[in-house]
Amino acid sequence: MTTHPDAPTTGGDAAAPGPSHRLDPAGGCPHASNARLLAQGAVAPVTLPGDVAGMAVLGHDALKEFLAHPDVAKNAEHFTDLREGRIPDGWPLKTFATVQGMTTADGADHRRLRSLMSKAFTARRVAELQPRIEALTLSLLDGLDAAAADGDGVADLRAHFALPLPMGVICELLGVDAEHHDRLHHLSNQIVATDIGPEEAMAANKEMVEVLGQVAASRAAEPGDDLTSALIAAREENGDRLGPHELLGTLMLTIIAGHETTLNLITNAVRALCTHRDQLALVQAGKATWSDVVEETLRWDSPVSYFPFRYPTRDLTLDGTTIPKGTPVLAGYSAAGRDPKAHGPEADRFDITRGTTRHLSLGHGAHFCMGAPLARMEATIALEQLFGRFPDLDLAVPEPELPRHASFVGNSVNRLPVRPHAGRSSAPRT
C-alpha cells in the first residue's frame, strides 16, 4: 500500500494536508472525531483499512462544492492505487470502487444508467407506493407489539420494524421474492462493513452476485411489473444499453442503498426522539411535523458517515487543501451535518424547529440520491405510525450502551431494544 504523499499545491494559498487520521474499521459513533477533524479544516487526509491513503471532505460548503465539481470522477479508472495494482482482492472497500452501476459511472454512462433507473422512482410511482407502505407499516407494528409481549415488554425495533419496512419496499420494487430478503440484508451488511476480512469480503460479494443472478433469472423467465424486469427488457431491446455485469451491479447498489440508508434513518430518528423527549412532545402537540423530524435527523445524525469514493481527475484545491489526482476521497456526510460554519454554534443540538434544514445527507449534484423522495416518505410514515401507536415508546437500555455498526460507512446502531409501552413516567434514556 502507499502512504499519503505530500500534496502539490495548485494555488498560492493551497497547503499540503496535515497528519493523516486513521479511520477505525470497527466504526463507532463518528461525531467526536468529526468535530476534532473539522476544527482543523474542511478537508482531512485519512488512512483507510490496509494502510491505503485517502482524503475525506468534512465541511458542508467544501463537500457541496466537491460533490458537484467537474474535475471529480466516480469511475475507479481514476483511482491510482487500484489502477496500478496496489489494492488487493478482498480489500473491504473494493466493492464500492469496482461494482458496475450508477455510483461508479460518469458522464454518458451515468446518464444512461440513471435514465433506466428513474422509471422506478418517478413522483407518480412513489406516490402510488404510499398505501402499500402504510399497510406494511401497520402490519410491522403488530409484529413489534407481539415481539415485545414475548420479550418481557422489550423488542428490537431495528429488527422488527426499521429493517423489514424499507427492505420490503425496495424488494417489491425490484421484484425480489421474500425468501431472499434476510439473506440479502446479511450480505449487504457484510459488503458495507469495514472491519471484515479479505476472505469474508470476497465470499459476501460472490454470494450477493449469485443471489441476484437467481433474481434476474427468475424475472427473465417470468417478467413482472417490477424494475428488474424492466431493466432486463431494456437490455434485450438494445444490447449495448445495459450489460450483464451492469444489471447485477445496479441491483446490488439499489438493494444496499435502498434499504440500508432508510433503515439507519428510521433507527437514528427513533433514538433521537427517545433521548430528546421535548422534541417528541413538539410533534405530538402539532407544533412540528414528522417531516421536520426526518430532515433534522438527516442533518444531525446522517444515515451515512463516510461514503466511498470519488477521485479528482487533477490535483484539486478545496478550501485551501490540495487533494492529489487519483486519491480515493470519502464524502463525510455526518461531519458536514454538524459543521458549525454551516449550521451555527449549536450545530450539535437536535432541534426540529430550526426551520429550513440545509444538509447533504442524500447527496448533491449529478449523483443526488434518486430514492430520496421514497426514503423520506417511508421514514415519515414509519415515525408517524410508530409514535401514534406507541406514544410512550422509549429505549430499553441507555443510548450510549447501544452496539454500533462495525463500519465507518453506515452510521447507526446494530440493535435498538425498546419498550413500546414504557409509560410516560419512565425516565428518558440518555
Side-chain angles (χ1 to χ4, degrees):
M1 299 305 138
T2 59
T3 55
H4 213 294
D6 288 336
T9 59
T10 57
D13 57 352
S20 182
H21 170 70
R22 184 174 293 275
L23 291 171
D24 184 356
C29 183
H31 298 300
S33 61
N34 285 346
R36 289 193 297 270
L37 290 172
L38 272 171
Q40 299 170 28
V43 182
V46 294
T47 301
L48 302 169
D51 289 332
V52 176
M55 299 283 278
V57 182
L58 310 159
H60 177 278
D61 292 347
L63 182 57
K64 186 174 183 180
E65 178 183 352
F66 180 74
L67 294 175
H69 203 289
D71 295 321
V72 172
K74 293 281 280 180
N75 193 307
E77 68 181 9
H78 300 284
F79 184 176
T80 301
D81 276 356
L82 181 63
R83 188 180 65 247
E84 296 180 357
R86 292 189 287 273
I87 302 296
D89 290 337
W91 188 53
L93 296 170
K94 193 169 185 178
T95 298
F96 287 100
T98 60
V99 65
Q100 294 187 37
M102 281 192 304
T103 65
T104 55
D106 297 310
D109 271 347
H110 177 251
R111 288 190 293 273
R112 171 175 59 89
L113 293 167
R114 195 172 178 94
S115 175
L116 285 168
M117 291 293 294
S118 66
K119 296 176 178 61
F121 295 101
T122 62
R124 190 181 81 173
R125 186 69 187 270
V126 171
E128 289 172 349
L129 286 170
Q130 183 169 341
R132 172 62 182 141
I133 295 170
E134 291 173 343
L136 179 56
T137 302
L138 285 172
S139 174
L140 292 172
L141 290 176
D142 289 341
L144 180 68
D145 204 7
D150 291 338
D152 294 327
V154 176
D156 182 356
L157 184 139
R158 189 172 172 90
H160 292 284
F161 182 68
L163 165 61
L165 177 59
M167 192 66 171
V169 172
I170 200 64
C171 284
E172 186 169 317
L173 265 178
L174 290 172
V176 177
D177 294 336
E179 66 190 79
H180 296 303
H181 290 195
D182 288 346
R183 193 62 189 160
L184 286 174
H185 172 64
H186 171 73
L187 294 171
S188 296
N189 259 341
Q190 290 191 300
I191 288 171
V192 302
T194 49
D195 68 341
I196 193 170
E199 292 183 2
E200 292 176 291
M202 288 189 288
N205 277 276
K206 182 175 182 291
E207 186 176 352
M208 175 70 94
V209 170
E210 290 173 352
V211 174
L212 294 178
Q214 294 172 22
V215 171
S218 176
R219 296 283 70 80
E222 298 182 30
D225 183 23
D226 56 77
L227 180 57
T228 303
S229 298
L231 291 172
I232 292 170
R235 177 165 59 108
E236 290 174 347
E237 291 166 9
N238 185 351
D240 64 356
R241 291 192 71 196
L242 190 65
H245 294 297
E246 287 179 324
L247 173 62
L248 295 180
T250 296
L251 294 178
M252 181 187 297
L253 293 167
T254 304
I255 285 173
I256 294 174
H259 90 279
E260 290 278 354
T261 302
T262 309
L263 162 61
N264 290 350
L265 172 57
I266 295 170
T267 303
N268 292 357
V270 173
R271 288 167 50 226
L273 291 171
C274 286
T275 54
H276 298 80
R277 307 300 292 197
D278 60 323
Q279 300 295 299
L280 175 58
L282 290 174
V283 193
Q284 292 173 328
K287 297 179 180 178
T289 68
W290 294 108
S291 292
D292 294 331
V293 174
V294 169
E295 295 308 311
E296 179 67 347
T297 302
L298 284 166
R299 179 201 71 82
W300 184 75
D301 205 11
S302 171
V304 175
S305 191
Y306 292 102
F307 192 79
F309 286 119
R310 285 173 168 81
Y311 320 94
T313 58
R314 63 172 178 82
D315 289 356
L316 181 68
T317 300
L318 198 66
D319 196 48
T321 297
T322 296
I323 306 175
K325 174 184 176 180
T327 299
V329 182
L330 301 171
Y333 293 120
S334 63
R338 295 197 186 189
D339 182 0
K341 291 183 178 178
H343 306 293
E346 294 190 329
D348 62 350
R349 184 165 65 92
F350 182 73
D351 179 5
I352 63 174
T353 67
R354 64 175 65 239
T356 303
T357 303
R358 296 189 304 149
H359 65 76
L360 301 168
S361 291
L362 296 171
H364 176 68
H367 286 270
F368 179 79
C369 177
M370 184 177 290
L374 179 59
R376 285 182 162 112
M377 177 191 286
E378 288 179 66
T380 302
I381 291 172
L383 295 171
E384 182 173 14
Q385 291 199 14
L386 174 68
F387 285 100
R389 173 82 169 265
F390 309 115
D392 302 327
L393 180 142
D394 204 354
L395 303 183
V397 298
E399 205 277 343
E401 296 179 12
L402 295 172
R404 300 288 309 193
H405 261 323
S407 172
F408 54 72
V409 178
N411 173 42
S412 194
V413 295
N414 281 331
R415 292 185 299 106
L416 190 62
V418 299
R419 295 185 183 277
H421 304 285
R424 293 189 186 278
S425 61
S426 297
R429 302 291 178 176
T430 58

